[in-house]
Amino acid sequence: MSKKKLEEFLPSCEIPPAANQLELHVYNPDHELVSYLKEKKILVQAYSPLGSSGSPLIKDETVVAVAEKYGLSAADVLLGWLGAFAPVWHRLKLMI
């Protein structure tokens, strides 16, 4: 859910949402929304952190180069980025 949508309905919520599922990956880090969610104590839940079918993420030149350098898969690199990107208070609760 976007920041705009959240700002529209949060003031009238008795119980705010516990989590917000958003597209979150190296091509779409959405820093502003993630910061807003942290401020509101709403858990960030990433969907499609590896991209959808046919997505360029898993074949991204930089992702593949990092994976090869460290003997990892491209998926390992993308999920590692997600874990490193997540605010510390979200890191243990990060749901993928």
Side-chain angles (χ1 to χ4, degrees):
M1 189 174 306
S2 70
K3 181 180 176 184
K4 182 179 177 181
K5 290 276 186 198
L6 287 164
E7 288 175 332
E8 288 173 10
F9 85 83
L10 278 178
S12 61
C13 283
E14 253 183 70
I15 300 172
N20 186 21
Q21 189 179 63
L22 59 140
E23 184 178 2
L24 190 65
H25 49 69
V26 295
Y27 286 7
N28 188 38
D30 211 341
H31 297 286
E32 182 182 351
L33 180 55
V34 170
S35 293
Y36 178 77
L37 294 171
K38 179 180 177 184
E39 174 187 313
K40 297 295 182 185
K41 298 193 178 352
I42 298 172
L43 179 69
V44 173
Q45 184 180 39
Y47 78 82
S48 291
L50 303 179
S52 55
S53 297
S55 167
L57 287 175
I58 207 85
K59 296 175 184 170
D60 179 85
E61 188 177 297
T62 303
V63 171
V64 171
V66 170
E68 288 174 355
K69 179 177 180 179
Y70 293 102
L72 302 169
S73 70
D76 291 332
V77 172
L78 292 169
L79 294 174
W81 173 89
L82 187 62
F85 173 80
V88 173
W89 69 278
H90 281 151
R91 198 166 295 151
L92 295 175
K93 298 177 183 179
L94 188 65
M95 294 178 251
I96 300 171

